[in-house]
């Protein structure tokens, strides 16, 4: 087991200090969410001021970006961090994709699955010199001239994680991903009876084993040693629980408990 730190948001000017502090404290990694700012920019600064920790997105929103744009950003971060970058992608929910990002919402599990394969096809083109020829339902990629090709580097094995809550995304994560971000809104019952069986179904479909998939999750924790901090944190946790339990995508957790 590894213990990481995660940030929902931060000022760009703070990220150098955060990167150095997370490493000095002894955490194994630092994950950056995409909330009110770009997570890739923030991790670039953290990479510059750390030497050991894993740096990853948890998550970057996939659908407003193209596979090639994501491939370029991840390629640069993996090279710059000397192999310490993990690409974490998520679908978000329909309202945000359409109304906040102005992008199309269409078959999210299938589209994210295809996007991951397309990103890897771009990386293979750059690393191994293979012609780019990816043909799918959503993406057709067949042009990569030398001028736009960054070329190979020493850290091409970039792990891809996805955030997954429901059956289809969990099975897809098990089938094609290196890791999965399980949401903080979970219970032991949800993990044992729903998440893990669906991840295993995906692993079996691709002929892989449990050791091929890393599970990453966070927890809602209220520290009780400081009454003022406990009160503030309790308010935050209550807000988070009410927010996610009012979102249809997370209904499965409530359903399992009869809530």
């Amino acid at each position: 087991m590894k213990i990481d730190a995660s940030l929902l948001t931060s000022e760009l000017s703070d990220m150098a200090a955060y990167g150095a502090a997370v490493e000095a404290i002894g955490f194994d990694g630092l994950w950056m969410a995409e909330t009110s700012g770009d997570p890739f920019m923030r991790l670039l600064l953290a990479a510059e001021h750390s030497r050991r920790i894993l740096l990853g997105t948890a998550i970057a929103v996939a659908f407003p970006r193209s596979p090639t744009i994501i491939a370029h950003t991840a390629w640069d971060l993996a090279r710059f961090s000397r192999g310490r970058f993990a690409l974490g992608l998520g679908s978000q929910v329909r309202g945000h994709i359409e109304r906040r990002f102005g992008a199309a919402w269409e078959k999210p599990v299938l589209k994210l699955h295809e996007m991951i394969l397309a990103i890897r096809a771009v990386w293979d083109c750059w690393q191994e010199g293979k012609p780019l020829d990816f043909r799918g339902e959503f993406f057709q990629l067949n042009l990569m001239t030398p001028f736009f090709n960054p070329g190979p580097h020493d850290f091409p094995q970039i792990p891809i994680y996805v955030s997954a809550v429901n059956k289809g995304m969990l099975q897809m994560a098990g089938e094609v991903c290196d890791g999965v971000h399980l949401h903080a809104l979970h219970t032991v019952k949800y993990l044992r009876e729903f998440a893990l069986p669906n991840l295993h179904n995906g692993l079996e479909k691709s002929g892989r084993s449990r050791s091929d998939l890393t599970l990453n999750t966070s927890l809602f924790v209220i520290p009780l040693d400081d009454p003022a901090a406990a009160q503030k944190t309790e308010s935050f946790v209550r807000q988070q629980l009410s927010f996610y339990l009012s979102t249809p995508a997370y209904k499965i957790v409530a359903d399992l408990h009869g809530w």
Side-chain angles (χ1 to χ4, degrees):
M1 179 182 290
K2 295 183 178 181
I3 307 296
D4 302 329
S6 62
L7 293 173
L8 289 178
T9 186
S10 74
E11 294 292 335
L12 279 172
S13 57
D14 294 332
M15 280 309 302
Y18 277 131
V22 166
E23 183 158 286
I25 290 168
F27 286 108
D28 295 296
L30 172 62
W31 296 93
M32 191 76 220
E34 181 163 23
T35 53
S36 59
D38 187 294
F40 298 112
M41 292 177 65
R42 284 156 175 78
L43 289 175
L44 177 64
L45 290 168
E48 186 176 19
H49 294 271
S50 60
R51 294 292 178 268
R52 173 186 56 79
I53 55 173
L54 176 72
L55 302 161
T57 50
I59 51 77
V61 183
F63 299 150
R65 300 176 168 97
S66 78
T68 306
I69 291 293
I70 295 172
H72 271 294
T73 304
W75 201 247
D76 286 342
L77 277 167
R79 189 201 306 258
F80 184 75
S81 67
R82 301 189 63 79
R84 294 185 293 125
F85 177 70
L87 175 63
L89 298 172
S91 63
Q92 247 294 348
V93 296
R94 182 170 192 157
H96 283 267
I97 294 300
E98 292 183 340
R99 295 166 53 205
R100 182 159 66 95
F101 289 105
W105 178 263
E106 47 190 349
K107 302 178 183 178
V109 176
L110 293 176
K111 188 173 184 178
L112 189 55
H113 184 170
E114 187 175 303
M115 178 172 275
I116 290 166
L117 299 182
I119 291 168
R120 288 178 173 153
V122 174
W123 288 342
D124 286 344
C125 170
W126 295 341
Q127 187 67 24
E128 301 175 21
K130 296 180 179 179
L132 180 60
D133 186 18
F134 182 87
R135 302 175 188 275
E137 178 180 353
F138 306 98
F139 306 105
Q140 308 287 324
L141 306 178
N142 53 30
L143 177 64
M144 186 62 63
T145 58
F147 186 74
F148 297 103
N149 186 334
H153 61 62
D154 295 334
F155 311 98
Q157 301 303 316
I158 304 169
I160 298 180
Y161 288 57
V162 295
S163 60
V165 175
N166 289 293
K167 178 180 178 179
M169 203 67 82
L170 287 164
Q171 291 186 356
M172 187 272 284
E175 183 180 354
V176 301
C177 295
D178 303 289
V180 59
H181 290 300
L182 297 171
H183 200 273
L185 184 73
H186 68 258
T187 65
V188 172
K189 182 179 179 69
Y190 165 81
L191 294 176
R192 287 178 175 169
E193 298 181 12
F194 189 82
L196 289 174
N198 280 300
L199 289 170
H200 280 287
N201 287 342
L203 288 167
E204 289 178 359
K205 186 175 180 180
S206 59
R208 302 195 302 160
S209 66
R210 174 64 184 82
S211 61
D212 296 316
L213 185 71
T214 299
L215 272 58
N216 183 295
T217 191
S218 54
L219 301 167
F220 294 124
V221 176
I222 303 173
L224 300 177
D225 52 339
D226 182 334
Q231 184 177 10
K232 181 178 180 181
T233 309
E234 181 181 1
S235 176
F236 172 77
V237 169
R238 285 178 178 272
Q239 184 273 334
Q240 290 285 293
L241 291 174
S242 65
F243 171 71
Y244 286 112
L245 284 169
S246 70
T247 304
Y250 301 92
K251 188 173 182 291
I252 180 60
V253 180
D255 287 345
L256 278 173
H257 291 270
W259 297 336

